[in-house]
Protein backbone atom coordinates (compact mmCIF):
# COMPACT_ATOMS: atom_id res chain seq x y z
CA UNK A 1 0.00 0.00 0.00
CA UNK A 2 1.65 3.24 -1.13
CA UNK A 3 -1.03 5.57 0.21
CA UNK A 4 -0.82 4.94 3.94
CA UNK A 5 -4.07 5.74 5.71
CA UNK A 6 -4.76 6.12 9.43
CA UNK A 7 -6.11 3.15 11.39
CA UNK A 8 -7.39 3.18 14.97
CA UNK A 9 -6.28 0.11 16.92
CA UNK A 10 -7.79 -0.47 20.39
CA UNK A 11 -6.60 -3.29 22.62
CA UNK A 12 -7.50 -4.31 26.17
CA UNK A 13 -3.79 -4.84 26.90
CA UNK A 14 -0.60 -3.40 25.44
CA UNK A 15 0.34 -5.79 22.62
CA UNK A 16 3.92 -6.26 23.82
CA UNK A 17 5.97 -8.19 24.75
CA UNK A 18 4.55 -11.19 22.86
CA UNK A 19 4.98 -13.53 25.82
CA UNK A 20 1.40 -14.66 26.50
CA UNK A 21 -1.60 -15.77 24.48
CA UNK A 22 -3.42 -12.51 23.82
CA UNK A 23 -0.22 -10.53 23.27
CA UNK A 24 1.16 -13.05 20.79
CA UNK A 25 -1.85 -12.48 18.56
CA UNK A 26 -2.27 -8.73 19.10
CA UNK A 27 1.42 -8.02 18.51
CA UNK A 28 1.50 -10.06 15.31
CA UNK A 29 -1.50 -8.09 14.02
CA UNK A 30 -0.01 -4.75 15.13
CA UNK A 31 3.31 -5.45 13.45
CA UNK A 32 1.56 -6.45 10.24
CA UNK A 33 -0.90 -3.55 10.13
CA UNK A 34 1.81 -1.01 10.95
CA UNK A 35 3.56 -1.94 7.70
CA UNK A 36 0.45 -0.90 5.78
CA UNK A 37 -1.30 1.76 7.88
CA UNK A 38 -0.48 4.67 10.19
CA UNK A 39 -1.61 3.04 13.42
CA UNK A 40 -3.12 5.03 16.29
CA UNK A 41 -2.96 2.58 19.19
CA UNK A 42 -4.95 2.96 22.40
CA UNK A 43 -4.58 0.31 25.09
CA UNK A 44 -4.51 -0.53 28.78
CA UNK A 45 -1.46 -1.54 30.79
CA UNK A 46 -2.34 -3.83 33.69
CA UNK A 47 1.16 -5.05 34.54
CA UNK A 48 3.62 -2.40 35.83
CA UNK A 49 6.47 -4.21 34.06
CA UNK A 50 4.85 -3.43 30.71
CA UNK A 51 5.45 0.31 31.07
CA UNK A 52 9.07 -0.52 30.25
CA UNK A 53 8.10 -1.55 26.70
CA UNK A 54 6.54 1.75 25.58
CA UNK A 55 9.43 2.63 23.27
CA UNK A 56 9.31 -0.76 21.55
CA UNK A 57 5.58 -0.31 20.89
CA UNK A 58 5.99 3.28 19.67
CA UNK A 59 8.12 1.95 16.80
CA UNK A 60 4.93 0.48 15.31
CA UNK A 61 2.66 3.46 15.89
CA UNK A 62 1.95 6.90 14.50
CA UNK A 63 0.32 7.65 17.86
CA UNK A 64 0.21 5.72 21.14
CA UNK A 65 -2.06 6.29 24.14
CA UNK A 66 -1.70 3.98 27.15
CA UNK A 67 -3.88 3.92 30.26
CA UNK A 68 -2.78 2.27 33.48
CA UNK A 69 -5.26 -0.29 34.80
CA UNK A 70 -5.17 -0.92 38.53
CA UNK A 71 -6.75 -4.36 38.83
CA UNK A 72 -7.99 -3.81 42.39
CA UNK A 73 -9.73 -0.54 41.55
CA UNK A 74 -11.01 -1.98 38.27
CA UNK A 75 -12.69 -4.83 40.18
CA UNK A 76 -14.43 -2.31 42.42
CA UNK A 77 -15.45 -0.25 39.38
CA UNK A 78 -16.80 -3.36 37.68
CA UNK A 79 -19.47 -3.67 40.38
CA UNK A 80 -21.35 -0.87 38.64
CA UNK A 81 -22.50 -3.55 36.25
CA UNK A 82 -24.60 -5.09 39.02
CA UNK A 83 -26.47 -1.78 39.32
CA UNK A 84 -26.75 -0.87 35.64
CA UNK A 85 -27.49 -4.37 34.37
CA UNK A 86 -24.33 -4.43 32.28
CA UNK A 87 -21.64 -7.10 32.36
CA UNK A 88 -18.87 -6.64 34.93
CA UNK A 89 -16.33 -6.56 32.12
CA UNK A 90 -17.61 -3.33 30.58
CA UNK A 91 -16.97 -0.96 33.52
CA UNK A 92 -13.79 -2.90 34.35
CA UNK A 93 -12.35 -1.73 31.03
CA UNK A 94 -13.95 1.70 30.79
CA UNK A 95 -11.76 4.82 31.09
CA UNK A 96 -12.92 8.37 30.39
CA UNK A 97 -9.44 9.52 29.27
CA UNK A 98 -9.24 6.74 26.72
CA UNK A 99 -12.73 7.60 25.46
CA UNK A 100 -11.69 11.25 24.98
CA UNK A 101 -8.54 10.18 23.13
CA UNK A 102 -10.61 7.94 20.82
CA UNK A 103 -12.96 10.83 20.05
CA UNK A 104 -9.94 13.01 19.26
CA UNK A 105 -8.47 10.42 16.88
CA UNK A 106 -11.83 9.97 15.16
CA UNK A 107 -12.23 13.74 14.73
CA UNK A 108 -8.67 14.76 13.84
CA UNK A 109 -7.03 11.72 12.23
CA UNK A 110 -10.27 10.46 10.64
CA UNK A 111 -9.17 6.81 10.41
CA UNK A 112 -10.24 4.78 7.40
CA UNK A 113 -10.56 1.65 9.52
CA UNK A 114 -10.82 0.59 13.15
CA UNK A 115 -9.42 -2.64 14.57
CA UNK A 116 -10.73 -3.73 17.98
CA UNK A 117 -8.99 -6.42 19.99
CA UNK A 118 -11.28 -7.97 22.63
CA UNK A 119 -14.97 -7.26 22.77
CA UNK A 120 -14.79 -4.86 25.73
CA UNK A 121 -13.04 -2.35 23.47
CA UNK A 122 -16.23 -2.23 21.39
CA UNK A 123 -17.68 0.27 23.87
CA UNK A 124 -15.25 2.90 22.49
CA UNK A 125 -15.97 2.51 18.78
CA UNK A 126 -18.55 4.29 16.62
CA UNK A 127 -21.23 2.32 14.87
CA UNK A 128 -20.03 0.87 11.57
CA UNK A 129 -21.94 0.95 8.30
CA UNK A 130 -23.10 4.56 8.39
CA UNK A 131 -22.22 6.90 5.53
CA UNK A 132 -18.59 7.93 5.80
CA UNK A 133 -17.94 5.74 8.85
CA UNK A 134 -14.66 3.82 8.99
CA UNK A 135 -14.76 0.08 8.50
CA UNK A 136 -14.71 -1.69 11.88
CA UNK A 137 -13.29 -5.16 12.51
CA UNK A 138 -13.67 -6.75 15.94
CA UNK A 139 -11.31 -9.56 16.94
CA UNK A 140 -13.19 -11.27 19.76
CA UNK A 141 -10.51 -13.99 19.77
CA UNK A 142 -12.55 -16.30 22.04
CA UNK A 143 -16.18 -16.58 23.03
CA UNK A 144 -15.44 -15.23 26.49
CA UNK A 145 -19.04 -15.53 27.62
CA UNK A 146 -18.75 -19.30 27.33
CA UNK A 147 -15.57 -19.24 29.39
CA UNK A 148 -17.51 -17.54 32.20
CA UNK A 149 -20.16 -20.28 31.84
CA UNK A 150 -17.45 -22.89 32.35
CA UNK A 151 -16.15 -21.01 35.38
CA UNK A 152 -19.65 -21.01 36.87
CA UNK A 153 -19.90 -24.77 36.54
CA UNK A 154 -16.73 -25.23 38.64
CA UNK A 155 -17.59 -22.77 41.40
CA UNK A 156 -19.89 -22.84 44.41
CA UNK A 157 -22.42 -20.17 45.32
CA UNK A 158 -22.17 -17.14 45.33
CA UNK A 159 -19.39 -17.10 42.70
CA UNK A 160 -21.27 -19.58 40.54
CA UNK A 161 -24.12 -17.04 40.38
CA UNK A 162 -21.73 -14.15 39.62
CA UNK A 163 -20.01 -16.07 36.82
CA UNK A 164 -23.27 -17.33 35.33
CA UNK A 165 -24.62 -13.77 35.31
CA UNK A 166 -21.42 -12.52 33.66
CA UNK A 167 -21.77 -15.19 30.98
CA UNK A 168 -25.31 -14.02 30.13
CA UNK A 169 -24.60 -10.28 30.27
CA UNK A 170 -21.32 -10.49 28.38
CA UNK A 171 -22.96 -12.52 25.61
CA UNK A 172 -25.68 -9.87 25.32
CA UNK A 173 -22.99 -7.17 25.07
CA UNK A 174 -20.99 -9.16 22.51
CA UNK A 175 -24.08 -9.57 20.35
CA UNK A 176 -24.62 -5.81 20.38
CA UNK A 177 -20.98 -5.24 19.42
CA UNK A 178 -21.13 -7.82 16.64
CA UNK A 179 -24.22 -6.09 15.23
CA UNK A 180 -22.38 -2.74 15.16
CA UNK A 181 -19.20 -3.85 13.39
CA UNK A 182 -18.48 -4.92 9.82
CA UNK A 183 -16.72 -8.18 10.69
CA UNK A 184 -16.24 -10.33 13.79
CA UNK A 185 -13.15 -12.52 14.02
CA UNK A 186 -12.51 -15.58 16.18
CA UNK A 187 -9.36 -17.60 16.73
CA UNK A 188 -10.67 -20.91 15.37
CA UNK A 189 -13.48 -22.43 13.37
CA UNK A 190 -15.07 -23.99 16.49
CA UNK A 191 -15.09 -20.58 18.21
CA UNK A 192 -16.59 -18.91 15.14
CA UNK A 193 -19.25 -21.60 14.83
CA UNK A 194 -20.14 -21.34 18.51
CA UNK A 195 -20.65 -17.59 18.19
CA UNK A 196 -22.75 -18.06 15.05
CA UNK A 197 -25.03 -20.32 17.08
CA UNK A 198 -25.17 -17.89 20.01
CA UNK A 199 -25.63 -14.81 17.80
CA UNK A 200 -27.37 -16.04 14.63
CA UNK A 201 -28.36 -12.51 13.62
CA UNK A 202 -24.70 -11.73 12.71
CA UNK A 203 -23.63 -15.18 11.52
CA UNK A 204 -22.99 -13.93 7.98
CA UNK A 205 -20.14 -11.66 9.09
CA UNK A 206 -18.25 -13.98 11.45
CA UNK A 207 -14.82 -15.22 10.35
CA UNK A 208 -12.21 -17.59 11.84
CA UNK A 209 -8.56 -16.48 11.69
CA UNK A 210 -6.24 -18.85 13.52
CA UNK A 211 -3.16 -17.88 15.48
CA UNK A 212 0.20 -18.41 13.91
CA UNK A 213 3.63 -19.13 15.33
CA UNK A 214 6.90 -17.27 14.78
CA UNK A 215 8.73 -20.28 13.41
CA UNK A 216 12.12 -18.58 13.42
CA UNK A 217 11.72 -17.66 17.09
CA UNK A 218 10.32 -21.02 18.23
CA UNK A 219 13.02 -22.99 16.46
CA UNK A 220 14.35 -26.20 18.06
CA UNK A 221 17.56 -25.91 16.02
CA UNK A 222 18.67 -22.88 18.05
CA UNK A 223 21.06 -23.34 20.97
CA UNK A 224 19.45 -22.65 24.36
CA UNK A 225 21.05 -22.87 27.81
CA UNK A 226 19.71 -25.64 30.01
CA UNK A 227 17.72 -24.06 32.89
CA UNK A 228 16.97 -27.30 34.72
CA UNK A 229 18.57 -29.06 37.64
CA UNK A 230 20.68 -32.05 36.70
CA UNK A 231 19.38 -35.60 36.91
CA UNK A 232 15.64 -35.05 36.71
CA UNK A 233 12.97 -35.80 34.14
CA UNK A 234 11.48 -32.51 33.04
CA UNK A 235 7.72 -32.08 32.59
CA UNK A 236 6.82 -28.49 31.71
CA UNK A 237 3.71 -26.32 31.76
CA UNK A 238 3.96 -22.79 30.34
CA UNK A 239 1.46 -19.96 30.68
CA UNK A 240 0.41 -16.86 32.57
CA UNK A 241 -0.06 -18.01 36.12
CA UNK A 242 -2.61 -15.41 37.16
CA UNK A 243 -5.08 -16.81 34.60
CA UNK A 244 -7.70 -19.03 36.21
CA UNK A 245 -7.80 -21.85 33.59
CA UNK A 246 -4.00 -22.17 33.90
CA UNK A 247 -4.22 -22.11 37.70
CA UNK A 248 -6.85 -24.85 37.58
CA UNK A 249 -4.72 -26.89 35.17
CA UNK A 250 -1.53 -26.87 37.26
CA UNK A 251 -3.43 -27.60 40.47
CA UNK A 252 -5.13 -30.57 38.86
CA UNK A 253 -1.79 -31.85 37.55
CA UNK A 254 -0.04 -31.35 40.91
CA UNK A 255 -2.92 -32.84 42.90
CA UNK A 256 -4.08 -35.76 40.79
CA UNK A 257 -1.41 -36.61 38.20
CA UNK A 258 2.06 -35.84 39.54
CA UNK A 259 1.88 -38.08 42.65
CA UNK A 260 1.07 -41.10 40.48
CA UNK A 261 3.87 -40.19 38.06
CA UNK A 262 6.43 -39.85 40.85
CA UNK A 263 5.30 -43.14 42.36
CA UNK A 264 6.50 -44.76 39.13
CA UNK A 265 9.43 -42.43 38.43
CA UNK A 266 10.55 -40.41 41.49
CA UNK A 267 12.93 -38.26 39.43
CA UNK A 268 10.06 -36.55 37.55
CA UNK A 269 9.85 -32.82 38.28
CA UNK A 270 6.92 -30.65 37.23
CA UNK A 271 8.03 -27.16 36.18
CA UNK A 272 5.39 -24.42 36.17
CA UNK A 273 6.83 -21.67 33.95
CA UNK A 274 5.03 -18.35 33.71
CA UNK A 275 4.66 -14.87 35.12
CA UNK A 276 2.55 -13.55 37.99
CA UNK A 277 1.93 -16.82 39.86
CA UNK A 278 -0.82 -16.41 42.42
CA UNK A 279 -0.04 -17.30 46.05
CA UNK A 280 -1.76 -20.67 45.73
CA UNK A 281 0.35 -21.49 42.65
CA UNK A 282 3.54 -20.37 44.41
CA UNK A 283 2.61 -22.64 47.31
CA UNK A 284 2.77 -25.66 45.01
CA UNK A 285 6.57 -25.30 45.03
CA UNK A 286 6.53 -26.55 48.63
CA UNK A 287 5.56 -29.99 47.34
CA UNK A 288 8.15 -32.58 46.31
CA UNK A 289 8.77 -32.54 42.57
CA UNK A 290 7.24 -29.12 41.82
CA UNK A 291 9.17 -26.02 40.73
CA UNK A 292 7.43 -22.67 40.18
CA UNK A 293 9.72 -20.35 38.22
CA UNK A 294 7.66 -17.17 38.11
CA UNK A 295 8.37 -14.79 35.25
CA UNK A 296 11.28 -15.88 33.07
CA UNK A 297 12.96 -13.84 30.33
CA UNK A 298 12.43 -16.60 27.77
CA UNK A 299 10.31 -19.75 27.90
CA UNK A 300 12.13 -21.39 24.99
CA UNK A 301 15.00 -22.88 27.06
CA UNK A 302 12.43 -24.60 29.27
CA UNK A 303 10.67 -26.06 26.26
CA UNK A 304 13.90 -26.93 24.44
CA UNK A 305 15.30 -28.94 27.35
CA UNK A 306 12.06 -30.48 28.56
CA UNK A 307 11.10 -34.06 27.86
CA UNK A 308 7.38 -33.45 27.62
CA UNK A 309 5.13 -30.36 27.59
CA UNK A 310 1.73 -30.72 29.22
CA UNK A 311 -1.48 -28.71 28.88
CA UNK A 312 -4.01 -30.37 31.21
CA UNK A 313 -6.73 -27.82 30.49
CA UNK A 314 -10.15 -28.40 31.99
CA UNK A 315 -11.50 -24.93 31.15
CA UNK A 316 -10.54 -23.46 27.80
CA UNK A 317 -11.69 -21.47 24.83
CA UNK A 318 -9.98 -20.72 21.56
CA UNK A 319 -6.48 -21.91 20.78
CA UNK A 320 -3.92 -22.83 23.42
CA UNK A 321 -0.69 -21.15 22.34
CA UNK A 322 1.21 -23.26 24.86
CA UNK A 323 0.32 -26.32 22.76
CA UNK A 324 1.44 -24.71 19.50
CA UNK A 325 4.67 -23.46 21.09
CA UNK A 326 5.54 -26.88 22.45
CA UNK A 327 4.84 -28.41 19.06
CA UNK A 328 6.88 -25.73 17.30
CA UNK A 329 9.83 -26.55 19.57
CA UNK A 330 9.59 -30.18 18.47
CA UNK A 331 8.44 -31.48 21.85
CA UNK A 332 5.95 -34.26 22.55
CA UNK A 333 2.88 -32.53 23.97
CA UNK A 334 0.15 -34.09 26.10
CA UNK A 335 -3.06 -32.10 26.25
CA UNK A 336 -6.74 -32.53 26.96
CA UNK A 337 -9.46 -32.33 24.36
CA UNK A 338 -10.13 -28.76 25.57
CA UNK A 339 -6.47 -27.89 24.94
CA UNK A 340 -6.61 -29.37 21.45
CA UNK A 341 -9.76 -27.55 20.36
CA UNK A 342 -9.16 -25.40 17.28
CA UNK A 343 -5.69 -26.85 16.60
CA UNK A 344 -5.16 -28.73 13.37
CA UNK A 345 -3.19 -31.70 14.70
CA UNK A 346 -3.70 -35.46 14.70
CA UNK A 347 -3.70 -37.13 18.14
CA UNK A 348 -1.32 -40.06 18.26
CA UNK A 349 0.85 -38.64 15.51
CA UNK A 350 1.45 -34.94 16.26
CA UNK A 351 0.70 -35.04 20.02
CA UNK A 352 -1.05 -37.14 22.64
CA UNK A 353 -4.40 -36.44 24.25
CA UNK A 354 -5.58 -37.35 27.75
CA UNK A 355 -8.68 -36.33 29.66
CA UNK A 356 -8.46 -38.13 32.99
CA UNK A 357 -5.70 -38.21 35.54
CA UNK A 358 -4.90 -41.85 34.74
CA UNK A 359 -4.78 -41.10 31.00
CA UNK A 360 -2.33 -38.25 31.64
CA UNK A 361 -0.14 -40.51 33.74
CA UNK A 362 0.00 -43.17 31.04
CA UNK A 363 0.64 -40.64 28.24
CA UNK A 364 3.46 -38.89 30.09
CA UNK A 365 5.07 -42.19 31.12
CA UNK A 366 4.85 -43.41 27.55
CA UNK A 367 6.81 -40.40 26.35
CA UNK A 368 9.39 -40.73 29.12
CA UNK A 369 9.99 -44.46 28.61
CA UNK A 370 9.35 -45.16 24.93
CA UNK A 371 12.11 -43.82 22.66
CA UNK A 372 9.86 -44.10 19.61
CA UNK A 373 7.77 -41.19 20.91
CA UNK A 374 10.51 -38.77 19.82
CA UNK A 375 8.83 -39.07 16.42
CA UNK A 376 5.81 -37.27 17.90
CA UNK A 377 7.90 -34.15 18.52
CA UNK A 378 9.28 -34.22 14.98
CA UNK A 379 5.80 -34.65 13.53
CA UNK A 380 4.55 -31.80 15.72
CA UNK A 381 7.15 -29.42 14.34
CA UNK A 382 6.30 -30.38 10.77
CA UNK A 383 2.61 -29.84 11.43
CA UNK A 384 3.12 -26.37 12.84
CA UNK A 385 5.41 -25.38 9.96
CA UNK A 386 2.82 -26.50 7.42
CA UNK A 387 -0.28 -25.05 9.12
CA UNK A 388 0.66 -22.14 11.39
CA UNK A 389 2.80 -19.66 9.49
CA UNK A 390 1.54 -16.15 10.30
CA UNK A 391 1.70 -14.67 6.78
CA UNK A 392 -1.54 -16.10 5.34
CA UNK A 393 -3.46 -15.43 8.52
CA UNK A 394 -2.38 -11.79 8.74
CA UNK A 395 -3.36 -11.19 5.12
CA UNK A 396 -6.91 -12.15 6.11
CA UNK A 397 -7.07 -9.24 8.55
CA UNK A 398 -6.04 -6.83 5.82
CA UNK A 399 -8.76 -8.11 3.51
CA UNK A 400 -11.42 -7.59 6.19
CA UNK A 401 -10.24 -4.05 6.92
CA UNK A 402 -10.40 -2.92 3.32
CA UNK A 403 -13.65 -1.22 2.23
Amino acid sequence: MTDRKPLLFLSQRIPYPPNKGDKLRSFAVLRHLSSLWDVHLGCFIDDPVDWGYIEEVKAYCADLFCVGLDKRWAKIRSLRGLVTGASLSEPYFYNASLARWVDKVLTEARPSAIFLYSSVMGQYAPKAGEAGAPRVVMDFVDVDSDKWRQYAERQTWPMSWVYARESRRLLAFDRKVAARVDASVFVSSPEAELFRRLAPETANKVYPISNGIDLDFFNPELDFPDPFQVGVRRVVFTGAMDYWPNIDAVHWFADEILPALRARAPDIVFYIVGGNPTPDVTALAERPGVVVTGRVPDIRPYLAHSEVAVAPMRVARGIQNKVLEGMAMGKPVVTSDQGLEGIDAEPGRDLLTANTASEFVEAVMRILTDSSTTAIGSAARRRVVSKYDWSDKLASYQRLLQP
Side-chain angles (χ1 to χ4, degrees):
M1 181 186 296
T2 56
D3 181 20
R4 293 174 62 91
K5 296 179 180 179
L7 177 141
L8 175 60
F9 188 131
L10 299 177
S11 177
Q12 71 168 8
R13 186 174 289 114
I14 187 171
Y16 198 88
N19 59 0
K20 58 192 299 185
D22 65 318
K23 291 186 179 184
L24 287 165
R25 184 175 175 92
S26 59
F27 175 66
V29 177
L30 172 64
R31 182 171 56 183
H32 176 73
L33 294 181
S34 69
S35 69
L36 303 167
W37 305 74
D38 288 331
V39 175
H40 298 254
L41 172 62
C43 60
F44 288 98
I45 293 182
D46 62 359
D47 185 337
V49 173
D50 287 347
W51 286 106
Y53 299 109
I54 293 295
E55 293 305 315
E56 283 89 341
V57 178
K58 282 183 178 178
Y60 299 96
C61 303
D63 184 19
L64 174 62
F65 187 83
C66 299
V67 175
L69 182 69
D70 184 308
K71 294 180 181 179
R72 291 170 297 179
W73 172 240
K75 287 179 180 178
I76 295 172
R77 189 171 62 242
S78 72
L79 296 177
R80 291 183 204 157
L82 297 176
V83 177
T84 64
S87 70
L88 302 181
S89 300
E90 293 165 68
Y92 187 100
F93 284 101
Y94 182 77
N95 179 272
S97 296
L98 179 58
R100 288 192 293 270
W101 177 83
V102 170
D103 288 341
K104 181 180 178 182
V105 171
L106 293 173
T107 301
E108 298 180 3
R110 301 184 65 82
S112 301
I114 299 174
F115 179 75
L116 307 171
Y117 191 80
S118 181
S119 69
V120 290
M121 305 312 288
Q123 61 190 308
Y124 296 97
K127 184 176 181 180
E130 297 177 349
R135 185 165 176 82
V136 183
V137 173
M138 163 60 72
D139 193 345
F140 285 93
V141 188
D142 306 327
V143 183
D144 276 342
S145 61
D146 193 68
K147 197 180 301 180
W148 287 107
R149 179 192 62 78
Q150 294 181 57
Y151 290 176
E153 292 177 349
R154 292 188 174 274
Q155 298 293 326
T156 57
W157 195 89
M159 295 312 298
S160 59
W161 177 86
V162 173
Y163 291 161
R165 178 192 182 276
E166 183 67 1
S167 175
R168 296 191 303 271
R169 299 301 169 88
L170 188 57
L171 175 59
F173 174 72
D174 287 353
R175 292 177 72 170
K176 291 178 182 177
V177 171
R180 295 177 62 211
V181 303
D182 295 292
S184 296
V185 175
F186 290 86
V187 74
S188 68
S189 294
E191 290 294 293
E193 184 54 37
L194 174 59
F195 192 74
R196 290 187 187 109
R197 294 198 304 270
L198 295 172
E201 68 278 4
T202 57
N204 64 326
K205 51 180 182 177
V206 172
Y207 305 89
I209 301 179
S210 174
N211 274 6
I213 283 288
D214 186 334
L215 297 169
D216 293 325
F217 185 78
F218 288 99
N219 183 350
E221 299 300 320
L222 299 177
D223 186 24
F224 297 102
D226 189 341
F228 295 111
Q229 56 186 297
V230 176
V232 299
R233 298 185 182 185
R234 301 91 175 261
V235 177
V236 170
F237 177 97
T238 60
M241 291 319 306
D242 55 355
Y243 180 52
W244 192 81
N246 287 345
I247 296 170
D248 176 74
V250 298
H251 268 283
W252 183 47
F253 195 92
D255 291 342
E256 304 294 335
I257 301 167
L258 184 63
L261 286 171
R262 285 175 57 84
R264 294 169 63 173
D267 55 349
I268 290 176
V269 177
F270 179 41
Y271 286 83
I272 302 170
V273 182
N276 303 321
T278 58
D280 55 331
V281 172
T282 301
L284 292 176
E286 300 173 5
R287 304 185 188 186
V290 180
V291 174
V292 179
T293 68
R295 189 189 304 270
V296 298
D298 191 346
I299 66 169
R300 292 175 299 169
Y302 291 88
L303 289 171
H305 292 280
S306 68
E307 292 172 83
V308 55
V310 295
M313 311 307 296
R314 298 194 294 180
V315 175
R317 286 254 55 95
I319 283 182
Q320 296 298 312
N321 289 288
K322 59 178 64 67
V323 173
L324 290 179
E325 290 164 357
M327 293 174 66
M329 291 296 291
K331 290 297 163 179
V333 174
V334 182
T335 188
S336 59
D337 286 346
Q338 291 96 323
L340 183 59
E341 183 175 301
I343 293 178
D344 187 351
E346 182 179 327
R349 183 192 67 186
D350 305 321
L351 44 62
L352 298 180
T353 55
N355 292 298
T356 66
S358 61
E359 288 173 352
F360 259 96
V361 170
E362 293 306 317
V364 171
M365 288 305 302
R366 177 185 166 194
I367 290 170
L368 294 178
T369 59
D370 184 350
S371 61
S372 68
T373 58
T374 57
I376 293 176
S378 299
R381 172 69 184 183
R382 290 194 298 271
R383 191 66 168 181
V384 171
V385 169
S386 67
K387 294 292 185 178
Y388 289 96
D389 187 279
W390 264 119
S391 56
D392 291 342
K393 305 175 193 315
L394 293 171
S396 297
Y397 284 106
Q398 180 63 12
R399 287 192 292 270
L400 290 176
L401 286 163
Q402 292 289 3

